[in-house]
Amino acid sequence: MTEAITQVLRHLAARELSEARSTLRHLAQAGDPEASLLEVTLTANGTGGAPDWRKAFAQLADCGARFGGEFADQLALMEQMDLDRDGYPKRLPEGDLIDASIQMQRFEGFLSPAECAFIARTASDILAPSMVADARTGAFKAHPVRRSSEAPIGPTREALPIQAILRRIAKASGTAVTQGEALTVLHYAPGQEYRPHLDTLPDTANQRQKTFILYLNDAFDGGATHFDVLGITVKPRAGDALVFDLVGQHGSPAMAARHAGLPVTAGAKWIATRWIRARPFDVWRGPEAA
């Protein structure tokens, strides 16, 4: 990473978004591939300006012609996605209703093998021990109830294929892209698990409404998603997706949504989760953004 890009990231961390975009524009015009790729990402997701998928896609296509490499790889992946001009899927696989009480649906073949690999690759170098929200303070901390590694794919890593998948999630869940938290990749080694829990958060004005799970692989034993109140166990299958409601009619946590990631007994389990809030969520403000 160059010093110039490091400076851009400092601007972003300080929420100096317009300064970051201005610096990126200068670097991209000077022919810096790393800056060009980051500019494409931020143009599409609206960091430091209005989101503009069409402009970002045109920038990516131009960079693909000039630089090839990662730009060309992303373009090739998106050619397989059958997207409309704004990055949304033209069609979706049909969801199968598993349980009506929490509107749990499974989408078979929601992701292609190449898309699963791209998501895992995007986050694999920043995996860190998973955290849970403290029931009293809401602060995130390590806890034995959750043993895994995780990596949120923040705005600077939301390459266009990732953003296209986020649009697919929004369309499948009947929500807006802006309601989602960062897509979070989770890795479970043998013996690791997430004991029964609810995904809702304590004392927040913008509660999580839905959980959307993407199963990125299935070359492991154990690791099923188990809903203990409902007595339902969902076996992971690479490329499938699972979505369910987290709150009831009056906005209180739905106990039927309590679930566990059962222990992995062999191999490594990879999933990605998107928690969807009631209203737009500002990723830059941190985990408790209203």
Side-chain angles (χ1 to χ4, degrees):
M1 184 182 298
T2 66
E3 177 56 35
I5 295 298
T6 300
Q7 182 59 41
V8 170
L9 296 179
R10 290 195 195 103
H11 281 311
L12 292 171
R15 290 187 58 82
E16 297 165 348
L17 306 183
S18 60
E19 291 89 340
R21 288 291 296 274
S22 176
T23 302
L24 279 177
R25 181 86 289 266
H26 175 75
L27 292 170
Q29 288 176 331
D32 185 321
E34 189 176 8
S36 298
L37 192 58
L38 184 52
E39 184 184 38
V40 168
T41 296
L42 301 188
T43 297
N45 65 25
T47 297
D52 192 334
W53 173 273
R54 297 183 190 186
K55 180 179 179 181
F57 189 86
Q59 290 173 330
L60 184 66
D62 177 66
C63 291
R66 288 191 291 139
F67 303 122
E70 178 65 20
F71 299 96
D73 291 345
Q74 290 187 22
L75 286 166
L77 180 56
M78 286 190 293
E79 284 179 2
Q80 303 169 25
M81 290 183 169
D82 196 21
L83 305 174
D84 68 17
R85 294 183 63 199
D86 295 306
Y88 285 89
K90 293 179 180 177
R91 58 187 63 83
L92 285 171
E94 192 163 337
D96 294 321
L97 184 65
I98 297 175
D99 179 82
S101 68
I102 55 171
Q103 289 300 300
M104 189 196 308
Q105 292 185 82
R106 182 172 192 152
F107 293 87
E108 293 187 10
F110 191 82
L111 297 175
S112 70
E115 291 165 353
C116 291
F118 189 88
I119 293 171
R121 188 167 64 249
T122 297
S124 61
D125 64 321
I126 54 171
L127 289 169
S130 296
M131 313 288 275
V132 299
D134 185 275
R136 184 175 59 84
T137 67
F140 281 76
K141 63 179 184 180
H143 193 284
V145 71
R146 187 182 191 192
R147 293 183 294 139
S148 62
S149 298
E150 68 176 1
I153 299 176
T156 61
R157 286 183 176 244
E158 285 181 351
L160 261 61
I162 297 292
Q163 293 191 48
I165 291 167
L166 299 184
R167 284 162 165 77
R168 192 183 307 166
I169 289 171
K171 195 165 183 178
S173 61
T175 60
V177 174
T178 54
Q179 289 175 244
E181 297 180 30
L183 184 67
T184 298
V185 172
L186 296 154
H187 173 271
Y188 292 82
Q192 292 187 326
E193 64 179 317
Y194 196 171
R195 296 174 188 169
H197 64 281
L198 295 171
D199 286 342
T200 46
L201 298 171
D203 300 322
T204 177
N206 189 10
Q207 185 58 271
R208 290 172 172 172
Q209 303 293 298
K210 295 176 182 288
T211 290
F212 205 105
I213 300 173
L214 305 172
Y215 296 108
L216 304 182
N217 77 326
D218 52 22
F220 56 89
D221 296 327
T225 306
H226 179 65
F227 294 80
D228 60 332
V229 175
L230 297 174
I232 293 173
T233 301
V234 178
K235 180 176 175 59
R237 191 162 52 223
D240 284 4
L242 187 72
V243 60
F244 50 92
D245 291 345
L246 301 176
V247 297
Q249 286 185 335
H250 303 292
S252 57
M255 290 305 298
R258 190 171 68 186
H259 60 288
L262 298 181
V264 173
T265 56
K269 169 186 170 183
W270 289 83
I271 66 172
T273 299
R274 180 132 161 120
W275 293 287
I276 300 170
R277 301 283 186 127
R279 299 186 304 281
F281 177 82
D282 184 353
V283 175
W284 292 104
R285 288 176 54 194
E288 277 305 291

